[in-house]
Amino acid sequence: SDIPRHGWVDRFMPEGLVPYARLARLDRPIGTWLLLFPCWWGAALAWAADPALPVGNGLALAGLFALGALVMRGAGCTFNDIVDRDFDGRVARTADRPIPSGAVSVPQAVAFLGGLLLLGAVVLFSLNTAAILVGLASLPLVFVYPFAKRFTYWPQLFLGLTFNWGALVGWTAMSGSLGWPAVVLYAAGIAWTLGYDTIYAHQDKEDDALIGVKSSALLLGDRTRPWLAGFYVATILLLALAGIVAGLSSWIAVALLVPAAQLWWQVQDVKLDHPADCLTKFRSNRHFGWLVLATIIAFGVFARTGA
């Protein structure tokens, strides 16, 4: 099972709310971090690119994005579990999730999803008009992603397209309009997701093969490691390009070697036939997210002090 036992959800939440907390993955925050970092990266890059933007705006947006990522990750997981309830019941890692185990009925899950989407809408409509429109444009991707593994070996690509949309929203919310640096940053996030979610998919490759769903782990098999290297090299190159297009010093390409080392460790050390190690490497991408964010902010501070 992928459900943590005897964690804070079991210890502190009322018993009746525990299945809903698990449905929203409150006991597994890594997905929230992975959804949040592109938002923070986008806003931070816009701030770094324009010394006229006050830091207070960025801090306020950071809080809104944190709440939005928590709520929308919960909504995404709930929708995914509703769609995948039959598959989840046939996979060892997911069989005791709230819906296949019977702890939450489908109508209850739909009502819970509606509440989360309402909260997400409140956060989205707190942003400027351009950011609201960019955010709404992601809805088709959010709907399609849970079905992707039924028709393509690249559901990880659809996850990347969905999870990194926040880079576009973050930049637009901070700057007031969409720009090319945000688009390049979005592409970097997609490459990143292709890497970390392929590692994650190796946990389920045997069950996925048995029940007939697709993943990049099944497609790549023994060739996964060089592909991971390619995904992660593309991530770093595109992050550097995003910074340069945004007007930051070209030294950002050198500074990004620090987060690049974290990705290189994943590629070299991951044990693709050991689910626990795959999960550990997947979760380590939170550290990569922080390293990239710190790099962008450092260059923004440098741009201000240098001016």
Side-chain angles (χ1 to χ4, degrees):
S1 172
D2 62 359
I3 296 180
R5 301 297 180 182
H6 311 298
W8 73 270
V9 166
D10 295 295
R11 294 199 306 270
F12 301 117
M13 293 202 73
E15 185 176 351
L17 296 181
V18 168
Y20 295 95
R22 289 179 175 160
L23 192 60
R25 310 291 198 274
L26 295 184
D27 50 354
R28 282 164 286 170
I30 181 59
T32 300
W33 285 114
L34 296 176
L35 184 60
L36 174 58
F37 276 120
C39 303
W40 279 356
W41 293 351
L45 187 61
W47 173 80
D50 186 355
L53 292 173
V55 69
N57 289 7
L59 293 174
L61 284 174
L64 277 175
F65 287 141
L67 177 59
L70 180 68
V71 170
M72 292 310 296
R73 192 267 180 133
C77 289
T78 301
F79 180 56
N80 187 76
D81 284 7
I82 292 170
V83 171
D84 282 353
R85 60 190 183 274
D86 294 330
F87 287 141
D88 285 346
R90 295 154 60 190
V91 175
R93 186 175 62 83
T94 58
D96 59 352
R97 285 181 176 176
I99 296 177
S101 70
V104 175
S105 68
V106 172
Q108 288 171 328
V110 170
F112 182 59
L113 173 61
L116 292 174
L117 291 175
L118 181 61
L119 287 174
V122 170
V123 173
L124 178 62
F125 283 92
S126 300
L127 305 177
N128 59 48
T129 302
I132 292 170
L133 294 175
V134 172
L136 291 174
S138 70
L139 292 179
L141 291 171
V142 173
F143 177 78
V144 169
Y145 165 65
F147 301 97
K149 60 190 169 187
R150 291 161 168 80
F151 61 82
T152 177
Y153 278 101
W154 292 103
Q156 284 65 37
L157 174 60
F158 283 84
L159 181 67
L161 291 167
T162 306
F163 251 50
N164 293 283
W165 198 266
L168 306 177
V169 177
W171 172 281
T172 307
M174 191 70 186
S175 69
S177 61
L178 188 59
W180 282 111
V183 175
V184 180
L185 184 64
Y186 177 54
I190 293 169
W192 179 42
T193 303
L194 283 167
Y196 71 62
D197 203 52
T198 295
I199 292 174
Y200 186 84
H202 270 272
Q203 296 179 94
D204 295 332
K205 56 190 175 186
E206 293 179 1
D207 285 330
D208 286 350
L210 286 172
I211 64 178
V213 297
K214 301 175 174 65
S215 75
S216 56
L218 286 174
L219 177 66
L220 300 177
D222 294 338
R223 299 172 294 146
T224 291
R225 203 176 302 273
W227 278 82
L228 290 177
F231 294 144
Y232 284 159
V233 167
T235 300
I236 298 300
L237 292 177
L238 288 166
L239 284 171
L241 181 60
I244 293 169
V245 172
L248 304 186
S249 167
S250 58
W251 282 100
I252 194 170
V254 177
L256 285 168
L257 291 176
V258 176
Q262 202 281 334
L263 296 182
W264 186 249
W265 167 75
Q266 292 182 45
V267 173
Q268 291 299 304
D269 198 64
V270 65
K271 300 174 179 60
L272 294 170
D273 292 323
H274 295 268
D277 188 69
C278 289
L279 184 59
T280 296
K281 298 302 187 297
F282 168 76
R283 287 174 172 168
S284 77
N285 282 278
R286 179 179 56 195
H287 306 310
F288 175 78
W290 279 116
L291 289 169
V292 171
L293 180 64
T295 301
I296 296 171
I297 291 174
F299 274 79
V301 172
F302 175 78
R304 283 159 172 75
T305 57

